[in-house]
Amino acid sequence: MLSLFTTGIYGYLDLVLIGWALGLVWLAGRALLKKVPFAQKVRSGLGEEVYLFGNWAAPQREEIGGWLFLVSMALLQFDMFFMNSYVRESGAGWYAFLAPKLEIVYFWLIIVKMVFFTRYSGLQLGAGFCFLFVFRWVFLNNGHFWPVVGMLYFLAAKDIRTRRTLKVCLAVSAASFFAVVFSASMGWIKTIQDIGDIRPRDSFGYGWFNLTGAILLAVCIMYVCWRQVSKLKWFDFALLAAAMVFCDRGPDSRAAAICIALLIVLAALLRFLPGVARPVWVRVVVSAAPAMAFAVSLLGGWLYKADSPVWVKLDILLSNRLSYTSQALVQSSIAIAGQRLTDSGFLVDNFYVNLWIYGGPVESLLFWGAVAVLLWRLLKKGALTESACLVVLLAHAVMETHFAWPCINVVLWLLPCVLYLLPGERTPSFAPKEKQI
């Protein structure tokens, strides 16, 4: 039992599964002890939302649970956006003391929130258990950190106050990012620079140029979700444009720069022509975006021809992602529940293909199916901001693997409405003056 507390993410996942398994038993026992007809016992156990292990102090537990998620996510973003930079080399003493303890704290906050401070019905807990079990099963086979950590946080996002959490995390993320960039610009911490054949690149204190771009894109996404497209003013578009120029001219992160430009275009379209998203056929097409991107990514790799000028030009436009994908698909096989490939000799930056190869068909189809349903529900609710931001991040996933990072893809905090099979009226968003449940 002690190993559950000392094996990092492996132990944390097991603790959640143990807590939930005991919770399912408790829910079943609670329903059976009720002095009502058996059919009503079944309906009560499957459909009534309660806190596990007793419904004591319910109003206080809902508020505490929201704060646990908020603090955990803010600490994760501080860890990834500030501590995960060359600050670690300039402050070796305090960094070595703080970094491992920080991870323990934010994971334990999530575990406690999920087991003791979230309401579940038997059906919801069973659905969540299945999702987490599949992702844990794949993680044991491939050892990939972010898909399973992302799923842990997305499951934990049930019953949180999304807008309050977003505002705090936007502040933490922006402050962390600008602190690192400023420190690198002043020469206080190390940075990576590449003169290159065309133009120079600077990581501004992070370990790689595209990580700098991904974090900047995440800050832009959080900013737009906070502001909401219907409220955007000229200065909002000016800020986004400045971020795009910096991303293009500084780290030269092509994927992030293109996606910030796409974010500006979609935000402007929905700001001035919100009616374009109302027709049902538009919702159908947009909701199919995960499936289309997934199919195009795989087909692009399988059909790519190195001797075709058209394919070569398209490959250059996508920073060699097509040739990388083709090489990966040719040199690998598919494992139903994921696989660990060491010294494979290929690189897969396309997240659709990456998840397919390393996570396998079960995890891939489950994950992209959930994202597609989320898009449909957001559009049906009229959550245009969140829908546009999710489409932008789906585009980013064609060239980078940050889509499942909960500290970057904040739109997936809204996934509980899908993962727990919640009714349509309980689809959350980041809009203000809305009852967040």
Side-chain angles (χ1 to χ4, degrees), residues 229 237 263-277:
V229 292
F237 289 105
L263 179 63
I264 294 171
V265 171
L266 290 178
L269 179 65
L270 295 173
R271 171 66 176 85
F272 300 107
L273 295 171
V276 298

Side-chain angles (χ1 to χ4, degrees), residues 37 79 98 274 420 423:
D79 194 16
L98 180 60
Y420 293 109

